[in-house]
Amino acid sequence: MVSDDELFERRRRQMVREQLEDRDIEDRDVLDALGIVPREAFVPEDYRSMAYSDRPLPIGKGQTISQPYIVALMTQMAELDGDDRVLEIGTGSGYGVAVASRIADEVYTLERHPELAESARASLEEVGYDNVEVILGDGTKGLPDRAPFDAIIATASGPDVPDSLKEQLAVGGRLVMPVGGKTGGQRLVGVRRIDEASYDEEDMGFVRFVPLIGEEGWSEGEAT
Ligand code: SAH
């Protein structure tokens, strides 16, 4: 008999090969991190059998856990190092931040839905990742108390990159965020802080994310 853990591990290895390596994920740390984090611990019970499918899955509150490939792509764009301090906006299931925590040193993540923050904390505790802090709040303002960050990853889409987030990047730091309309898809944007006053921006293609709701994002009333 194959145990559930063994089965999930096989599927995880297959996911890394077919969904990541066979596409354009080359960063060894990113491939290793997605090969370690048990995604089944971050999806609702009813969806566990689909934990390694090539798609986002519902996690409640109208939100989703991102497709594994998108988590890998954003983490690769963030160019994380072992001594980095990282901020994620939009904890959701906690999966994305769990992946980042296997590469970086200290990871902070902000979530606006109390229920999601709570269940993400529970999942992170279950897997025993203790370099992650889940904080309840509006991520569009970032986390000024803990800035600067070597990388900021926003997993919800806004009309533009909030200035507060750019200002909280260390010089040389990277920010990754979906930017564009509220529905119908967005562009995945990578920002690099060149010096105190200048930033470089690159477009990494079409993506589809849930909206970032907050002071420097979309307003609550517009929420779907
Ligand atoms: N990284 C997540 C993806 C979550 S989807 C994962 O791996 O599962 C995006 C999340 O952003 C949702 O949970 C949503 O509630 C949250 N969100 C939207 N606007 C936010 C804001 N202003 N501050 C913090 N979280 C926000």
Side-chain angles (χ1 to χ4, degrees), residues 59 61 63-66 71 88-97 110-113 116 137-140 155-156 209-215:
I59 54 171
K61 298 279 151 198
Q63 308 302 322
T64 54
I65 173 173
S66 306
V71 175
E88 184 202 44
I89 318 292
T91 315
S93 66
Y95 178 70
V97 81
L110 281 155
E111 172 57 53
R112 64 186 286 269
H113 280 297
L116 294 178
D138 176 10
T140 62
T155 66
F209 274 84
V210 297
L212 183 70
I213 311 288
E215 209 169 310

Side-chain angles (χ1 to χ4, degrees), residues 59-77:
I59 54 171
K61 298 279 151 198
Q63 308 302 322
T64 54
I65 173 173
S66 306
Q67 179 190 5
Y69 171 72
I70 293 294
V71 175
L73 178 64
M74 292 177 92
T75 313
Q76 177 166 272
M77 284 171 70

Side-chain angles (χ1 to χ4, degrees), residues 118-138:
E118 205 38 63
S119 70
R121 273 190 202 112
S123 301
L124 289 160
E125 196 167 315
E126 182 189 329
V127 296
Y129 298 172
D130 58 9
N131 59 336
V132 182
E133 198 176 323
V134 179
I135 300 156
L136 186 64
D138 176 10

Side-chain angles (χ1 to χ4, degrees), residues 166-179:
K166 284 164 107 171
E167 284 158 15
Q168 289 172 36
L169 271 185
V171 169
R174 292 81 50 199
L175 182 153
V176 185
M177 177 172 167
V179 173

